[in-house]
Amino acid sequence: RHASQRRPGGVKIAHHHIVVRSRLDGAVLVAATGNNGFSTPTFPAGDRGVVGVSATDSDDAIYAYGN
């Protein structure tokens, strides 16, 4: 399954149910954290049970615009 979406702010109930159901079905959920330099979580990457991934620079530090 593939879902392409990103949004700042909190998790909505419907989205959370999709995450929970997918995990119960055995899925590993991975989502990009974003490239806007936000310090607040973005979703779906910020949801419990989702692995958030971001870019790093040549020193393995979080990329300047990475969330």
Side-chain angles (χ1 to χ4, degrees):
R1 296 180 193 158
H2 175 265
S4 182
Q5 57 182 314
R6 182 199 64 81
R7 65 182 190 283
V11 176
K12 295 186 177 177
I13 299 279
H15 175 80
H16 182 70
H17 287 298
I18 292 168
V19 169
V20 169
R21 178 58 195 218
S22 296
R23 291 189 66 218
L24 289 172
D25 287 346
V28 176
L29 304 173
V30 180
T33 59
N35 293 310
N36 299 70
F38 295 151
S39 60
T40 56
T42 57
F43 296 88
D47 197 0
R48 182 180 309 163
V50 178
V51 177
V53 295
S54 184
T56 60
D57 64 18
S58 59
D59 294 320
D60 204 25
I62 293 178
Y63 178 67
Y65 294 105
N67 293 356

